[in-house]
Amino acid sequence: MPKKLHIIALIVLFFFLLSSCKEEPIPTEPNEPTPPIVVEQEIKSMTGLDNITITQNDYFNPLENVVVLNENDEDISYLFDVIGHVPYGVPGDYTLTYDLSYGESIVSESRIITVVAGTINRPINPRNSLTGTQVDQASGSYRINSASDIAHPVNPQRIAPDLLDMAVPSNGWWTSLLVSNYGGGNGIYTNPLRSAFSNAGAEITNPGAGFVQYWNPDGYNTMANFSLALPDLYVKANTLNAGYETHVIDYSDTTVQVAMRNVGDLKDHMVLSYTQGSPYVFAEVANSASPFITLAPNGSAGFEFYTVAGDQVSGSSYQGDGLVVRFVQKHIGYETFRPAQVGQPIYGDRYFLISTPDETTFTIGSTSIAMNLNEGNYFSIAAINTLNDATFFHDHGYMKPLKGDVSYVVDHETSLVETTYSLAVQDLKGSSSEVVQYLMPHHYLMSDVELEDYTFETVRGFLKLMIGDQFKTTHNFNGLLPAMTLPTNSEFSEA
């Protein structure tokens, strides 16, 4: 028996020694991430830059039907810089120059826009009303097209027909303009400006920082920020009647263009261009002698007029390429206190800069400014903080944004989202300046863009100014919630 136990012990020892002599596995490195495939930037095709003839009084958009496809078949026409302008109300030949850089490609093309007298023809609304259809899929179903038993949004009636080949935006900062004339009078906020349409024209107002209103419902403190609804000025063409019509004729991720027409008339008497973050509203007219500005006296102690250089204009007429209007001690808010007290009004000066072509004649009334633009058909209006800011903003007041693009990429290794904001720009005067734009806090706090020493206080916080047509932001993206609460109504079935 002891001999047998001895043999068993030797066998166990042998296997133990054998196992201890086995080679330890060599630790392996974790899989290296596959490097992304880099595709060289290139322009695959470019169309829409041919010479073209347009009908007099029919507004011309320099990027209409212009398409530039890159290596991913994406339209990058938002990278264009366009030099020149087209007085679309005056017959003649006008040259526009288009510049674009992308990868190693540099594009510089010129085209001639010929304006001729004639009858304006525009296509009718091509959208059709379709009957409701039910689509069965797996254990469920869904409905497509329109159905009489379902409440549908109002059909967009005030948008150019050529913009109806894709889904129409329905919940944007300007989309009330699609469904009713004047957009129902709703405010259009471009940060920093507010605009709205009425019989008096297009309102342009500096809403400022507003004031804080306090409440104390049931003993709980609450608060909200408000801006006074006191308009600053209205812009209009003297060829427009009361009850004129507004139509959206172009839009992009950050821009919208609105044409002002008389009822039953296809002529674009005035076209306004709005851009998120732009200090300016740009206007173009068919008749260069038609634009005028009405100053709203409510809440202001009076008006003063200055040249861009800061000299006060005392007469009723001035000729130059710009004018500054000072609203003397404008009512801009109220002193407020907790829990729910409203005190004395707050007053402050407001300044507006009007930038025009050279040799513009300004005829100044007590509450009005009539303009004969003479050498062009365009002008811009900007709110500025002080008279000293006029020269800077006047230098950049001819760079009109044409088209905005907001695109993002997600880095799945780092969970970072990089968003690029780009603008195509038209240099109306050939001033060789650069476009400027205000960034909101969630832009400049997440960007390394270089900022200028100009800020603008609004209800959205302090805006900060940059020079240039592109900036990027970087944000963390930590994913979405993996689940949501199940419905409890009787119509819901888990199956």
Side-chain angles (χ1 to χ4, degrees):
M1 185 73 174
K3 184 177 180 181
K4 192 172 184 180
L5 290 173
H6 180 68
I7 293 172
I8 292 172
L10 287 174
I11 292 172
V12 170
L13 178 63
F14 172 76
F15 279 108
F16 173 77
L17 291 173
L18 185 64
S19 64
S20 65
C21 291
K22 284 184 181 178
E23 268 190 38
E24 288 295 322
I26 300 174
T28 58
E29 293 293 328
N31 291 333
E32 293 292 331
T34 304
I37 299 174
V38 178
V39 180
E40 293 295 329
Q41 292 183 327
E42 66 168 329
I43 295 176
K44 292 176 61 177
S45 66
M46 183 168 57
T47 57
L49 293 183
D50 302 322
N51 296 340
I52 190 174
T53 298
I54 66 171
T55 305
Q56 182 182 6
N57 300 322
D58 190 6
Y59 179 79
F60 176 73
N61 182 338
L63 290 184
E64 184 177 359
N65 299 323
V66 175
V67 178
V68 181
L69 296 181
N70 68 359
E71 69 281 358
N72 297 318
D73 291 325
E74 299 166 331
D75 182 11
I76 56 170
S77 58
Y78 57 81
L79 297 178
F80 265 122
D81 290 325
V82 182
I83 302 173
H85 73 283
V86 177
Y88 64 93
V90 182
D93 294 333
Y94 306 98
T95 300
L96 296 179
T97 301
Y98 293 71
D99 295 330
L100 181 151
S101 296
Y102 186 74
E104 296 184 357
S105 300
I106 297 178
V107 176
S108 184
E109 298 279 347
S110 294
R111 63 191 297 211
I112 296 175
I113 313 302
T114 300
V115 179
V116 298
T119 302
I120 299 174
N121 292 302
R122 295 196 182 100
I124 61 172
N125 189 325
R127 288 206 164 185
N128 299 316
S129 294
L130 303 176
T131 57
T133 304
Q134 178 171 308
V135 177
D136 295 313
Q137 187 168 340
S139 300
S141 64
Y142 61 91
R143 295 174 69 171
I144 62 175
N145 304 324
S146 59
S148 59
D149 60 329
I150 298 177
H152 288 272
V154 178
N155 204 27
Q157 299 294 328
R158 299 191 172 272
I159 183 171
D162 62 313
L163 300 178
L164 290 174
D165 57 352
M166 63 186 73
V168 176
S170 59
N171 194 28
W173 52 278
W174 55 266
T175 48
S176 61
L177 292 165
L178 297 176
V179 297
S180 60
N181 198 33
Y182 301 165
N186 288 307
I188 303 169
Y189 291 86
T190 62
N191 302 298
L193 297 173
R194 165 197 154 91
S195 187
F197 291 90
S198 68
N199 285 347
E203 171 201 335
I204 299 176
T205 295
N206 171 10
F211 63 98
V212 176
Q213 175 70 64
Y214 298 100
W215 290 277
N216 195 30
D218 300 324
Y220 294 97
N221 286 325
T222 187
M223 58 190 283
N225 196 290
F226 289 93
S227 293
L228 284 181
L230 288 176
D232 288 330
L233 58 87
Y234 298 90
V235 60
K236 194 177 179 182
N238 59 24
T239 54
L240 284 167
N241 302 324
Y244 66 90
E245 295 184 333
T246 55
H247 296 267
V248 173
I249 60 172
D250 190 53
Y251 68 88
S252 69
D253 289 347
T254 57
T255 67
V256 66
Q257 283 192 311
V258 185
M260 301 163 72
R261 304 169 184 161
N262 285 324
V263 177
D265 181 8
L266 297 180
K267 177 179 178 179
D268 294 320
H269 292 260
M270 176 177 281
V271 174
L272 297 180
S273 297
Y274 299 94
T275 304
Q276 278 295 315
S278 176
Y280 313 90
V281 172
F282 287 85
E284 294 164 85
V285 290
N287 182 346
S288 62
S290 68
F292 69 96
I293 295 171
T294 302
L295 306 176
N298 292 342
S300 179
F303 309 104
E304 295 176 353
F305 306 93
Y306 296 85
T307 67
V308 173
D311 300 320
Q312 187 166 0
V313 177
S314 57
S316 61
S317 181
Y318 170 73
Q319 192 170 62
D321 63 355
L323 190 70
V324 179
V325 183
R326 176 192 175 199
F327 288 67
V328 181
Q329 289 300 288
K330 173 90 174 184
H331 183 191
I332 59 176
Y334 291 96
E335 294 179 351
T336 57
F337 312 92
R338 292 187 185 277
Q341 295 173 286
V342 178
Q344 296 298 312
I346 298 174
Y347 296 91
D349 288 346
R350 294 288 201 226
Y351 293 88
F352 283 88
L353 166 68
I354 308 165
S355 298
T356 65
D358 295 338
E359 305 303 320
T360 293
T361 300
F362 297 88
T363 302
I364 303 170
S366 59
T367 59
S368 65
I369 304 170
M371 294 180 286
N372 189 335
L373 304 173
N374 291 320
E375 297 185 8
N377 73 323
Y378 57 85
F379 62 96
S380 66
I381 298 178
I384 57 177
N385 289 317
T386 70
L387 188 58
N388 293 332
D389 294 346
T391 300
F392 174 87
F393 284 94
H394 180 257
D395 289 343
H396 299 274
Y398 302 94
M399 308 301 293
K400 185 187 79 170
L402 285 172
K403 182 179 184 179
D405 180 82
V406 182
S407 301
Y408 68 91
V409 293
V410 181
D411 187 327
H412 297 286
E413 298 288 338
T414 62
S415 291
L416 293 178
V417 180
E418 184 180 78
T419 306
T420 302
Y421 297 77
S422 303
L423 282 176
V425 181
Q426 182 179 8
D427 185 349
L428 295 166
K429 197 176 183 180
S431 58
S432 300
S433 186
E434 292 185 80
V435 69
V436 295
Q437 50 187 319
Y438 279 115
L439 307 188
M440 288 194 282
H442 70 276
H443 290 142
Y444 58 75
L445 292 176
M446 299 294 178
S447 176
D448 59 1
V449 66
E450 183 177 346
L451 299 170
E452 302 299 310
D453 293 329
Y454 294 94
T455 61
F456 206 101
E457 190 176 8
T458 73
V459 294
R460 303 289 296 274
F462 277 95
L463 310 184
K464 296 186 179 182
L465 194 80
M466 65 162 283
I467 298 177
D469 56 12
Q470 189 176 92
F471 68 94
K472 296 181 180 181
T473 63
T474 303
H475 292 79
N476 290 315
F477 175 69
N478 297 312
L480 301 174
L481 292 176
M484 55 189 298
T485 305
L486 287 177
T488 58
N489 57 318
S490 60
E491 289 83 4
F492 174 72
S493 166
E494 288 195 33

